[in-house]
Amino acid sequence: MDYLLNKFTSTGPKKLKIAVIGQSNFAADVLELLLSDGHEVVGVFTIPDKGSREDILAVTAKNYEIPVFKFPVWRKKGVAIPDVLEKYKSVGANLNVLPFCSQFIPMEVIDGAAHGSICYHPSILPRHRGASAISWTLIEGDQIGGFSIFWADDGLDTGPILLQKEVSVEDSDTLDTIYKRFLYPEGVSSMGEAVRMVAAGTAPKIKQTEDGATYDAPMFKEENQIINLNQTAKGIFNFVRGLDSVPGAIAYAINEDKEEVMIRLFGAQLFNGPVPEGQPLQMKGLKKPALVTEAGLLITGTDGKIVNIQRVKKGSKMISSSKWFDQSSGQVTLELTDAEKTIETSLKAIWESILKVDITDDTDFFACGAGSMDVVRLIEEVKDAYDVTLENETLFMAPTFQEFFTQVILVSRQGSSSGQINVEFEGFVLKANKREIPIPTQLFVNGKFIDAENGRTLDIINPATEEVLCKVALASKNDVDKAVKAAYDAFKGSWAQVSARQRGHLMFKLADLMEQHKEELATIEAVDSGAVYTLALKTHVGMSIDVWRYFAGWTDKIEGSTIPVNPARPNNVLTFTKREPIGVVGLITPWNYPLMMLSWKMAACIAAGNTVVIKPAQVCPLTALKFAELAVKAGFPAGVINVTAGTGSITGQAIADHALVRKLGFTGSTPIGKKIMASCAESNIKKCSLELGGKSPLVIFSDCDLEKAVRLGMSAVFFNKGENCIAAGRIFVEDKIHDEFVRRVLKDLKTMTIGDPLNRSTAHGPQNHKAHMDKLIEYCDIGVKEGAKLVAGGKRVPGIKGYFFQPTVFIEVEDHMYIAQEESFGPVMVVSKFSGSNPEDIIKRANNTEFGLASGIFTKDISKALLFAEQIEAGTVFVNTYNKTDVAAPFGGFKQSGFGKDLGKEALNEYLKTKCVTIEF
């Protein structure tokens, strides 16, 4: 080992006069580090401007008033140019530092400084000598990478070693990742370390061995970038990642005319698992065609293993390889606010400062000569200027200014309430309630409205007129698979990049849009489901808006806990829990409150950080589809919310069975709930929550406020046409007031207006669909046959079109009767007497059912009320009120009414999983 002579005094190392020779951000950071160490940088030598674009090293040097020299070449025909050499000598450097240098520097300069020249090289020399060392580290599949700082000589990276550092090369590493995580930050600090060693006289000169030396081809030459596809999958994978993210491995696709089309490959992954369906793509050098799938472009190596290519560049356009056969542009256009127009202007200025060219909408970032560090600079400047966090990949997928600007605005809207997005879809215009409302009728998958497989549709009937409103796309099993995979990709990708607080902003934005469109949404609910418009406005839509705002407030308050545990001394232990989203959630919602049931479940689900595939009710999916349009306008990333209209047996079953769905939330009948639960268990033991049938008891004691009991008792039964999961299915009235209670109910029924749900005076609209109305007629017939006394209604409203069913009252109902045991889910009041002498007896009768969703009691005796609340087997208990739900109060049943909670803080638990972490120290 040969050491430099220590030319410094015994007082310590002297500061050096340094010439920095190189380019790029790396060299600029080294320059600033040397200055901070107290050295004098006497001159900076860098490359000439590209057009009006000055290298960042030159810009940094000028900021410190350091002389800058820009030479296109240093020598001609191997001989140093005298003028160039003279300018170099004029600065009087005693050490040359070459942090990142792409030019050939003559030996007169290399040896022109008293302490010589030190150079950074991104490999463990002597392996991978040459200009493309990082790429070859990956292409050759090296498990160890790193960098060397060596003393420059007249060879190609052959000088003595001063300093080397190593790093393990991970399977997931690309040129970009290994550079950012190790070669750049460690390299900068190590250049400073090396200069300090030179200044101290302790810098070694270790002669390079020739053992294991390689001289690799430069990858900046296009002919060297062509990939050999006739090799193993690992070889293909390594070559692609070695050129990722710039310039990309070159391959040739064969088009329909048998012409070779040059493309570049990016984002390689070794693929495991079953091969999905896809379309074949002929590629030069492949005996077996590649396969374009939803997962990506699958290429089979000579060993039979598969590489997945995520992105493909054709010309200047980067696309997801899964979209090779569908390269159309997106379906959204932006309407800019004044503030966003200002962003457009300032963003153009950022592009101009980096590219040094005039920027138009079609300006391509990479076609202007930008490199990987320019990408980093742009992403960082956007983050600083607009508080918008993007991935480097965003620019590769949107390389033109207009495409990139669109992405900046879409992400910025996740944290604001500004801007408009127009959404393209096929649908129809609902002309009702003095409005013209455009409504989508396609499936909503991965941020776009699309047709169902084979164009299948189902008819949607207006229950008030029995006429076909429209035809809505009918999702197949394959359609559900597309939606689930889109949700899965979003959960792992774009949605994971959205912070908890940004989720809250998105949800608030969505709630604001629902508020702006509430009259439209209520009109759709009235026409599609038969809900009375005024009720739809207040409850169906109003409570939906409330629930989105409520859970928006929870997004950044989902916390784990720190748990004191018993450590094994002398060690200490830290144990804490994390609350994490489950993943893809399937939701299946009923037809009685289409938008509200969607919101009750989805708002908690989204707040917790999950993505969603929802199947709305087959008979009334229109508000769910209109909601999807609003979700796009709110700025939700593609794939986060997916709406697959269809049947329960096909669409719903496909969601329940899908292996990527990890949680299923269902509201519906108990028999279907049992099938859902079985499917959850058999598919992948997915978590499920079930809100099922009810036969909720309402007990009215004689000491109640009778006027209030009649009014709220009728509401408990007839609210929303009786299509209400917590409807009072059994009313127990104390014998002392039974007859008066019934008399008042029958009197008030005569004043109830039945008719068009859009009419503001209507109190009772049509039942949701014909099959349900027929079921109600059968239900009442059974009641009569079993001996209950029908005192009102029991049949279809005569003389008018539509599924209108008369409000119905049965008295003298005994507990064993069918109508006392089974839910009608319609406007049927079932009244039974009881004696008030023994309150516990009536509680037993109220509990004599397999259902346990809700319950109610009217009494002025607080003891009776508390006894009832304590002993009743129901998830909700109302005292001297009914139907009074709130978004902050948990809602859910016991027994065969299901399990799990909607609403309130507890609802978040349905969509979270708990991870326990233990650290010993």
Side-chain angles (χ1 to χ4, degrees), residues 221-250:
K221 294 185 177 180
E222 190 169 284
E223 62 266 26
N224 295 329
Q225 299 164 6
I226 301 172
I227 189 170
N228 173 22
L229 295 177
N230 187 29
Q231 60 176 316
T232 64
K234 188 65 179 287
I236 296 171
F237 165 75
N238 283 336
F239 194 91
V240 174
R241 70 177 180 144
L243 298 180
D244 201 345
S245 53
V246 174
I250 294 175

mmCIF file of all heavy atoms in Angstrom, residues 221-250:
data_model
loop_
_atom_site.group_PDB
_atom_site.id
_atom_site.type_symbol
_atom_site.label_atom_id
_atom_site.label_comp_id
_atom_site.label_asym_id
_atom_site.label_seq_id
_atom_site.Cartn_x
_atom_site.Cartn_y
_atom_site.Cartn_z
ATOM 1 N N LYS A 221 -25.487 4.058 -26.134
ATOM 2 C CA LYS A 221 -25.586 3.776 -27.558
ATOM 3 C C LYS A 221 -26.793 2.895 -27.806
ATOM 4 O O LYS A 221 -26.954 1.842 -27.176
ATOM 5 C CB LYS A 221 -24.317 3.091 -28.058
ATOM 6 C CG LYS A 221 -23.076 3.978 -28.003
ATOM 7 C CD LYS A 221 -21.886 3.284 -28.626
ATOM 8 C CE LYS A 221 -20.663 4.207 -28.641
ATOM 9 N NZ LYS A 221 -19.483 3.549 -29.257
ATOM 10 N N GLU A 222 -27.636 3.313 -28.749
ATOM 11 C CA GLU A 222 -28.911 2.636 -28.958
ATOM 12 C C GLU A 222 -28.744 1.171 -29.325
ATOM 13 O O GLU A 222 -29.534 0.326 -28.890
ATOM 14 C CB GLU A 222 -29.716 3.363 -30.040
ATOM 15 C CG GLU A 222 -31.147 2.876 -30.159
ATOM 16 C CD GLU A 222 -31.994 3.771 -31.032
ATOM 17 O OE1 GLU A 222 -32.385 4.869 -30.565
ATOM 18 O OE2 GLU A 222 -32.273 3.374 -32.190
ATOM 19 N N GLU A 223 -27.709 0.838 -30.073
ATOM 20 C CA GLU A 223 -27.547 -0.561 -30.494
ATOM 21 C C GLU A 223 -27.303 -1.488 -29.311
ATOM 22 O O GLU A 223 -27.560 -2.698 -29.384
ATOM 23 C CB GLU A 223 -26.411 -0.697 -31.511
ATOM 24 C CG GLU A 223 -25.044 -0.304 -30.993
ATOM 25 C CD GLU A 223 -24.682 1.137 -31.304
ATOM 26 O OE1 GLU A 223 -25.611 1.962 -31.458
ATOM 27 O OE2 GLU A 223 -23.489 1.445 -31.402
ATOM 28 N N ASN A 224 -26.811 -0.914 -28.199
ATOM 29 C CA ASN A 224 -26.570 -1.732 -27.003
ATOM 30 C C ASN A 224 -27.800 -1.847 -26.105
ATOM 31 O O ASN A 224 -27.783 -2.587 -25.123
ATOM 32 C CB ASN A 224 -25.414 -1.157 -26.205
ATOM 33 C CG ASN A 224 -24.100 -1.215 -26.952
ATOM 34 O OD1 ASN A 224 -23.893 -2.128 -27.759
ATOM 35 N ND2 ASN A 224 -23.220 -0.256 -26.714
ATOM 36 N N GLN A 225 -28.844 -1.097 -26.418
ATOM 37 C CA GLN A 225 -30.062 -1.097 -25.599
ATOM 38 C C GLN A 225 -31.080 -2.142 -26.043
ATOM 39 O O GLN A 225 -32.125 -2.299 -25.419
ATOM 40 C CB GLN A 225 -30.710 0.289 -25.651
ATOM 41 C CG GLN A 225 -29.830 1.400 -25.104
ATOM 42 C CD GLN A 225 -30.297 2.776 -25.504
ATOM 43 O OE1 GLN A 225 -31.363 2.932 -26.110
ATOM 44 N NE2 GLN A 225 -29.492 3.786 -25.203
ATOM 45 N N ILE A 226 -30.784 -2.866 -27.132
ATOM 46 C CA ILE A 226 -31.730 -3.857 -27.656
ATOM 47 C C ILE A 226 -31.663 -5.120 -26.814
ATOM 48 O O ILE A 226 -30.593 -5.702 -26.604
ATOM 49 C CB ILE A 226 -31.409 -4.170 -29.130
ATOM 50 C CG1 ILE A 226 -31.492 -2.887 -29.974
ATOM 51 C CG2 ILE A 226 -32.370 -5.235 -29.679
ATOM 52 C CD1 ILE A 226 -31.014 -3.050 -31.393
ATOM 53 N N ILE A 227 -32.803 -5.554 -26.332
ATOM 54 C CA ILE A 227 -32.857 -6.712 -25.444
ATOM 55 C C ILE A 227 -32.902 -8.007 -26.247
ATOM 56 O O ILE A 227 -33.533 -8.080 -27.312
ATOM 57 C CB ILE A 227 -34.086 -6.622 -24.507
ATOM 58 C CG1 ILE A 227 -34.030 -7.719 -23.438
ATOM 59 C CG2 ILE A 227 -35.394 -6.690 -25.284
ATOM 60 C CD1 ILE A 227 -35.070 -7.547 -22.342
ATOM 61 N N ASN A 228 -32.221 -9.006 -25.747
ATOM 62 C CA ASN A 228 -32.303 -10.355 -26.297
ATOM 63 C C ASN A 228 -33.407 -11.094 -25.556
ATOM 64 O O ASN A 228 -33.245 -11.442 -24.385
ATOM 65 C CB ASN A 228 -30.957 -11.072 -26.138
ATOM 66 C CG ASN A 228 -31.041 -12.537 -26.533
ATOM 67 O OD1 ASN A 228 -31.944 -12.934 -27.289
ATOM 68 N ND2 ASN A 228 -30.116 -13.341 -26.034
ATOM 69 N N LEU A 229 -34.524 -11.319 -26.227
ATOM 70 C CA LEU A 229 -35.643 -12.009 -25.581
ATOM 71 C C LEU A 229 -35.473 -13.518 -25.572
ATOM 72 O O LEU A 229 -36.254 -14.218 -24.917
ATOM 73 C CB LEU A 229 -36.957 -11.631 -26.272
ATOM 74 C CG LEU A 229 -37.361 -10.149 -26.152
ATOM 75 C CD1 LEU A 229 -38.644 -9.880 -26.936
ATOM 76 C CD2 LEU A 229 -37.527 -9.740 -24.703
ATOM 77 N N ASN A 230 -34.462 -14.021 -26.262
ATOM 78 C CA ASN A 230 -34.221 -15.464 -26.303
ATOM 79 C C ASN A 230 -33.257 -15.849 -25.177
ATOM 80 O O ASN A 230 -32.130 -16.286 -25.385
ATOM 81 C CB ASN A 230 -33.644 -15.863 -27.666
ATOM 82 C CG ASN A 230 -33.542 -17.382 -27.817
ATOM 83 O OD1 ASN A 230 -34.325 -18.120 -27.231
ATOM 84 N ND2 ASN A 230 -32.570 -17.829 -28.594
ATOM 85 N N GLN A 231 -33.727 -15.625 -23.944
ATOM 86 C CA GLN A 231 -32.946 -15.973 -22.760
ATOM 87 C C GLN A 231 -33.902 -16.251 -21.607
ATOM 88 O O GLN A 231 -35.122 -16.183 -21.752
ATOM 89 C CB GLN A 231 -31.969 -14.859 -22.405
ATOM 90 C CG GLN A 231 -32.621 -13.512 -22.103
ATOM 91 C CD GLN A 231 -31.610 -12.466 -21.659
ATOM 92 O OE1 GLN A 231 -30.729 -12.755 -20.848
ATOM 93 N NE2 GLN A 231 -31.736 -11.250 -22.199
ATOM 94 N N THR A 232 -33.354 -16.561 -20.456
ATOM 95 C CA THR A 232 -34.188 -16.895 -19.305
ATOM 96 C C THR A 232 -34.993 -15.680 -18.858
ATOM 97 O O THR A 232 -34.650 -14.532 -19.175
ATOM 98 C CB THR A 232 -33.334 -17.375 -18.125
ATOM 99 O OG1 THR A 232 -32.505 -16.300 -17.691
ATOM 100 C CG2 THR A 232 -32.475 -18.572 -18.518
ATOM 101 N N ALA A 233 -36.033 -15.952 -18.087
ATOM 102 C CA ALA A 233 -36.858 -14.871 -17.563
ATOM 103 C C ALA A 233 -36.025 -13.944 -16.676
ATOM 104 O O ALA A 233 -36.179 -12.719 -16.713
ATOM 105 C CB ALA A 233 -38.038 -15.439 -16.782
ATOM 106 N N LYS A 234 -35.127 -14.488 -15.886
ATOM 107 C CA LYS A 234 -34.297 -13.670 -15.005
ATOM 108 C C LYS A 234 -33.380 -12.767 -15.823
ATOM 109 O O LYS A 234 -33.156 -11.596 -15.470
ATOM 110 C CB LYS A 234 -33.464 -14.570 -14.075
ATOM 111 C CG LYS A 234 -32.713 -13.819 -12.979
ATOM 112 C CD LYS A 234 -33.671 -13.154 -12.009
ATOM 113 C CE LYS A 234 -32.962 -12.411 -10.877
ATOM 114 N NZ LYS A 234 -32.357 -13.331 -9.891
ATOM 115 N N GLY A 235 -32.875 -13.295 -16.951
ATOM 116 C CA GLY A 235 -32.032 -12.473 -17.815
ATOM 117 C C GLY A 235 -32.801 -11.312 -18.432
ATOM 118 O O GLY A 235 -32.302 -10.187 -18.510
ATOM 119 N N ILE A 236 -34.035 -11.591 -18.885
ATOM 120 C CA ILE A 236 -34.884 -10.531 -19.432
ATOM 121 C C ILE A 236 -35.188 -9.494 -18.359
ATOM 122 O O ILE A 236 -35.082 -8.280 -18.579
ATOM 123 C CB ILE A 236 -36.186 -11.133 -19.995
ATOM 124 C CG1 ILE A 236 -35.884 -12.061 -21.173
ATOM 125 C CG2 ILE A 236 -37.151 -10.028 -20.432
ATOM 126 C CD1 ILE A 236 -37.085 -12.869 -21.644
ATOM 127 N N PHE A 237 -35.550 -9.976 -17.194
ATOM 128 C CA PHE A 237 -35.871 -9.106 -16.059
ATOM 129 C C PHE A 237 -34.692 -8.193 -15.724
ATOM 130 O O PHE A 237 -34.841 -6.972 -15.576
ATOM 131 C CB PHE A 237 -36.238 -9.978 -14.854
ATOM 132 C CG PHE A 237 -36.242 -9.271 -13.534
ATOM 133 C CD1 PHE A 237 -37.269 -8.416 -13.187
ATOM 134 C CD2 PHE A 237 -35.203 -9.467 -12.624
ATOM 135 C CE1 PHE A 237 -37.281 -7.765 -11.961
ATOM 136 C CE2 PHE A 237 -35.206 -8.826 -11.397
ATOM 137 C CZ PHE A 237 -36.245 -7.971 -11.071
ATOM 138 N N ASN A 238 -33.485 -8.765 -15.646
ATOM 139 C CA ASN A 238 -32.318 -7.979 -15.275
ATOM 140 C C ASN A 238 -31.983 -6.920 -16.324
ATOM 141 O O ASN A 238 -31.611 -5.788 -15.987
ATOM 142 C CB ASN A 238 -31.109 -8.899 -15.063
ATOM 143 C CG ASN A 238 -31.152 -9.629 -13.742
ATOM 144 O OD1 ASN A 238 -31.788 -9.171 -12.796
ATOM 145 N ND2 ASN A 238 -30.506 -10.777 -13.665
ATOM 146 N N PHE A 239 -32.133 -7.270 -17.606
ATOM 147 C CA PHE A 239 -31.805 -6.307 -18.659
ATOM 148 C C PHE A 239 -32.764 -5.120 -18.624
ATOM 149 O O PHE A 239 -32.356 -3.969 -18.727
ATOM 150 C CB PHE A 239 -31.850 -6.985 -20.033
ATOM 151 C CG PHE A 239 -31.213 -6.162 -21.128
ATOM 152 C CD1 PHE A 239 -29.876 -6.314 -21.416
ATOM 153 C CD2 PHE A 239 -31.949 -5.240 -21.842
ATOM 154 C CE1 PHE A 239 -29.270 -5.553 -22.417
ATOM 155 C CE2 PHE A 239 -31.365 -4.472 -22.842
ATOM 156 C CZ PHE A 239 -30.012 -4.630 -23.129
ATOM 157 N N VAL A 240 -34.061 -5.416 -18.447
ATOM 158 C CA VAL A 240 -35.049 -4.331 -18.431
ATOM 159 C C VAL A 240 -34.817 -3.423 -17.236
ATOM 160 O O VAL A 240 -34.807 -2.185 -17.362
ATOM 161 C CB VAL A 240 -36.484 -4.897 -18.408
ATOM 162 C CG1 VAL A 240 -37.502 -3.767 -18.239
ATOM 163 C CG2 VAL A 240 -36.779 -5.662 -19.690
ATOM 164 N N ARG A 241 -34.589 -3.980 -16.063
ATOM 165 C CA ARG A 241 -34.409 -3.117 -14.884
ATOM 166 C C ARG A 241 -33.087 -2.376 -14.934
ATOM 167 O O ARG A 241 -32.938 -1.317 -14.331
ATOM 168 C CB ARG A 241 -34.544 -3.915 -13.599
ATOM 169 C CG ARG A 241 -33.417 -4.900 -13.291
ATOM 170 C CD ARG A 241 -33.673 -5.557 -11.957
ATOM 171 N NE ARG A 241 -32.632 -6.514 -11.599
ATOM 172 C CZ ARG A 241 -32.194 -6.706 -10.360
ATOM 173 N NH1 ARG A 241 -32.696 -5.998 -9.365
ATOM 174 N NH2 ARG A 241 -31.276 -7.602 -10.091
ATOM 175 N N GLY A 242 -32.104 -2.911 -15.684
ATOM 176 C CA GLY A 242 -30.837 -2.226 -15.822
ATOM 177 C C GLY A 242 -30.931 -0.951 -16.644
ATOM 178 O O GLY A 242 -30.048 -0.095 -16.566
ATOM 179 N N LEU A 243 -31.992 -0.808 -17.429
ATOM 180 C CA LEU A 243 -32.204 0.393 -18.241
ATOM 181 C C LEU A 243 -33.441 1.161 -17.803
ATOM 182 O O LEU A 243 -33.954 2.011 -18.533
ATOM 183 C CB LEU A 243 -32.331 0.005 -19.721
ATOM 184 C CG LEU A 243 -31.101 -0.660 -20.329
ATOM 185 C CD1 LEU A 243 -31.346 -0.989 -21.788
ATOM 186 C CD2 LEU A 243 -29.876 0.213 -20.194
ATOM 187 N N ASP A 244 -33.924 0.869 -16.633
ATOM 188 C CA ASP A 244 -35.128 1.498 -16.101
ATOM 189 C C ASP A 244 -34.661 2.566 -15.091
ATOM 190 O O ASP A 244 -33.868 2.257 -14.203
ATOM 191 C CB ASP A 244 -35.957 0.431 -15.372
ATOM 192 C CG ASP A 244 -37.417 0.780 -15.205
ATOM 193 O OD1 ASP A 244 -37.792 1.935 -15.382
ATOM 194 O OD2 ASP A 244 -38.166 -0.135 -14.854
ATOM 195 N N SER A 245 -34.989 3.823 -15.143
ATOM 196 C CA SER A 245 -36.099 4.345 -15.910
ATOM 197 C C SER A 245 -35.664 5.084 -17.174
ATOM 198 O O SER A 245 -36.503 5.589 -17.916
ATOM 199 C CB SER A 245 -36.897 5.299 -15.019
ATOM 200 O OG SER A 245 -36.011 6.265 -14.471
ATOM 201 N N VAL A 246 -34.380 5.216 -17.429
ATOM 202 C CA VAL A 246 -33.860 5.833 -18.643
ATOM 203 C C VAL A 246 -32.707 4.968 -19.140
ATOM 204 O O VAL A 246 -31.858 4.573 -18.340
ATOM 205 C CB VAL A 246 -33.364 7.281 -18.369
ATOM 206 C CG1 VAL A 246 -32.689 7.851 -19.593
ATOM 207 C CG2 VAL A 246 -34.511 8.180 -17.927
ATOM 208 N N PRO A 247 -32.622 4.663 -20.425
ATOM 209 C CA PRO A 247 -33.519 5.054 -21.535
ATOM 210 C C PRO A 247 -34.607 4.027 -21.827
ATOM 211 O O PRO A 247 -35.499 4.270 -22.622
ATOM 212 C CB PRO A 247 -32.557 5.130 -22.727
ATOM 213 C CG PRO A 247 -31.555 4.045 -22.442
ATOM 214 C CD PRO A 247 -31.382 4.027 -20.936
ATOM 215 N N GLY A 248 -34.536 2.846 -21.187
ATOM 216 C CA GLY A 248 -35.496 1.783 -21.463
ATOM 217 C C GLY A 248 -34.933 0.759 -22.418
ATOM 218 O O GLY A 248 -34.187 1.071 -23.351
ATOM 219 N N ALA A 249 -35.251 -0.512 -22.168
ATOM 220 C CA ALA A 249 -34.788 -1.595 -23.044
ATOM 221 C C ALA A 249 -35.598 -1.607 -24.340
ATOM 222 O O ALA A 249 -36.822 -1.515 -24.314
ATOM 223 C CB ALA A 249 -34.930 -2.930 -22.327
ATOM 224 N N ILE A 250 -34.902 -1.744 -25.461
ATOM 225 C CA ILE A 250 -35.563 -1.732 -26.762
ATOM 226 C C ILE A 250 -35.986 -3.143 -27.148
ATOM 227 O O ILE A 250 -35.205 -4.097 -27.060
ATOM 228 C CB ILE A 250 -34.635 -1.147 -27.846
ATOM 229 C CG1 ILE A 250 -34.356 0.326 -27.570
ATOM 230 C CG2 ILE A 250 -35.234 -1.317 -29.244
ATOM 231 C CD1 ILE A 250 -33.355 0.949 -28.530
#
